[in-house]
Amino acid sequence: MDRDSLIEGYFHLGINYTEILAFLVLCHGICLSMRQLKRILRERGLTRRSRLSPVNEIVDAIESELQGSGRLLGYRLMHKRIGLSHSLVVDRETVRAVMKALDPEGVERRSQHRLVRRNYHAKGPNFIWHIDGYDKLKPFGFCIHGAIDGYSRRIIFMYGRSVSNQRIEAWWSMLRKMETDFWINYFKDLREVGLYCDDDILHVQCLKFCYMPLLKEELYRVVELWNLHRIRPQSSNEHSPPGRPEVLYFLPELNGKVRHIHNVTLDDIELAEHVCDGQTGMDDSFQVFKELASIIMEDEGLNPPRNPDEALQLYIDLLGYIEDIM
């Protein structure tokens, strides 16, 4: 990727000018002055003071997010989500006002939340990774694993061995508030109205097939938002640095830290891949169901779902076609 494309990419991630310059020099070996950076951004029509998007588009985007797990977000995270996912230019105050008008009960409920932080210390990025499994959606067939860097709090990947520890468990708590509470209640509602039965293998496999793409997409959106959000200073814990996880992880030099990553051999990588494949690969029954469902969708002209409502309709349609076959 050329220099100007790199700059545009970092700009759209919401990273400030000083951090962009640091990324360029430390990660890409490109040295620019602030004046040069601003000139390049100006030539490409990129400015933090761009004209705001039309209010009706902002309202539509927020209303769309509130139909799903977005209803769990505060206005700061909603501001980032509609900027990244909907490519809208909007200020936080507008997002706050729109959310208060569209979802007053949710705003009031979130305002009652009080977060209790625990002290923690890590020497630098890659000194320790915290890996754990999240089982709150396991009753519905969805297993989630994640790893977080102990120093920067950057999410590294979304699968791996489960080992209980403090840092990643704190992130699971955040994930539930941001997203999974919506899906837990959603799937419980399906169960209560008789559309889903835990003991019916067809229901389990069909639910995974219809909703897994949506869950994966939302998980990666949450990870992106988390890695780019700004962590505020904590007076109670001087060892947890403020800043964006993405910046803290890739640019530890800005805070006087060093990288603790270690080289591994190809044999180590192949062994790890073998272990992970054995633990995270799809079971045979789901693979068979996936092939059958794909054939039915092609024959009947059914489209992949883009939201929970479309996923539910696909779930009902597939079960109906399969029951006719059987």
Side-chain angles (χ1 to χ4, degrees):
M1 186 178 294
D2 62 75
R3 179 196 66 181
D4 291 3
S5 297
L6 284 171
I7 291 173
E8 183 169 348
Y10 284 130
F11 177 88
H12 286 306
L13 290 177
I15 296 173
N16 66 40
Y17 294 168
T18 301
E19 292 168 345
I20 291 176
L21 291 175
F23 267 113
L24 290 174
V25 69
L26 294 175
C27 296
H28 307 284
I30 300 173
C31 186
L32 295 177
S33 67
M34 183 65 74
R35 178 178 295 182
Q36 288 175 304
L37 174 63
K38 289 183 177 180
R39 176 180 57 78
I40 294 170
L41 291 172
R42 187 167 57 250
E43 290 173 351
R44 297 178 78 90
L46 302 173
T47 172
R48 300 295 188 200
R49 298 179 180 176
S50 301
R51 184 191 303 179
L52 296 179
S53 300
V55 175
N56 64 306
E57 293 183 13
I58 297 170
V59 172
D60 289 345
I62 294 177
E63 194 168 30
S64 173
E65 293 293 341
L66 290 174
Q67 299 304 310
S69 62
R71 69 182 64 175
L72 304 178
L73 302 181
Y75 75 93
R76 292 183 179 86
L77 284 173
M78 180 66 79
H79 171 257
K80 287 187 173 295
R81 175 173 284 193
I82 65 173
L84 289 172
S85 300
H86 298 267
S87 300
L88 297 176
V89 180
V90 58
D91 58 87
R92 283 184 178 179
E93 181 57 28
T94 299
V95 173
R96 187 195 65 78
V98 172
M99 290 184 68
K100 188 171 184 180
L102 295 178
D103 186 27
E105 293 182 1
V107 171
E108 176 62 24
R109 184 174 61 252
R110 287 187 296 273
S111 69
Q112 303 300 319
H113 174 65
R114 294 294 181 271
L115 180 63
V116 178
R117 299 185 184 275
R118 293 177 285 179
N119 289 334
Y120 179 89
H121 174 59
K123 294 182 178 180
N126 299 309
F127 180 77
I128 184 171
W129 286 1
H130 300 262
I131 306 173
D132 196 14
Y134 183 77
D135 60 3
K136 297 299 186 294
L137 289 172
K138 211 168 186 178
F140 308 101
F142 301 97
C143 300
I144 303 173
H145 292 82
I148 188 170
D149 178 64
Y151 168 76
S152 65
R153 288 86 98 196
R154 180 180 187 269
I155 299 300
I156 307 300
F157 56 82
M158 296 304 296
Y159 53 89
R161 284 183 66 91
S162 282
V163 181
S164 179
N165 51 68
Q166 175 179 324
R167 198 58 123 183
I168 190 65
E169 288 181 353
W171 195 79
W172 290 142
S173 176
M174 183 282 305
L175 177 67
R176 179 160 186 169
K177 295 179 178 68
M178 284 182 63
E179 178 187 357
T180 55
D181 255 348
F182 167 79
W183 289 107
I184 291 171
N185 292 326
Y186 182 92
F187 293 137
K188 283 182 178 179
D189 289 343
L190 293 187
R191 178 195 286 155
E192 289 178 3
V193 298
L195 289 175
Y196 175 76
C197 175
D198 302 72
D199 299 324
D200 191 319
I201 186 62
L202 282 179
H203 285 200
V204 174
Q205 304 292 29
C206 194
L207 197 77
K208 287 168 62 177
F209 178 82
C210 295
Y211 287 92
M212 189 176 290
L214 296 181
L215 281 168
K216 283 185 175 180
E217 181 182 353
E218 289 211 350
L219 281 171
Y220 288 123
R221 286 206 300 170
V222 170
V223 168
E224 184 178 39
L225 284 174
W226 173 265
N227 285 343
L228 291 170
H229 92 292
R230 188 176 295 280
I231 300 173
R232 288 173 288 184
Q234 302 175 30
S235 58
S236 61
N237 188 358
E238 61 181 14
H239 298 299
S240 289
R244 303 178 194 274
E246 197 81 353
V247 175
L248 293 169
Y249 181 79
F250 286 107
L251 304 176
E253 296 87 349
L254 295 180
N255 291 290
K257 300 294 183 179
V258 298
R259 304 161 193 257
H260 293 269
I261 198 164
H262 296 280
N263 293 326
V264 295
T265 66
L266 183 60
D267 289 340
D268 291 332
I269 296 175
E270 291 178 347
L271 176 60
E273 289 178 343
H274 175 73
V275 172
C276 289
D277 286 342
Q279 294 180 353
T280 64
M282 290 185 296
D283 60 85
D284 292 339
S285 61
F286 180 65
Q287 187 61 37
V288 171
F289 182 91
K290 184 178 179 181
E291 293 173 359
L292 174 61
S294 298
I295 293 173
I296 293 175
M297 289 180 66
E298 184 175 355
D299 290 345
E300 301 298 332
L302 302 177
N303 297 316
R306 297 167 297 179
N307 54 57
D309 290 339
E310 292 182 3
L312 177 58
Q313 189 59 56
L314 178 62
Y315 172 77
I316 294 173
D317 290 343
L318 285 176
L319 286 179
Y321 286 122
I322 292 173
E323 288 174 0
D324 290 341
I325 294 174
M326 298 176 65

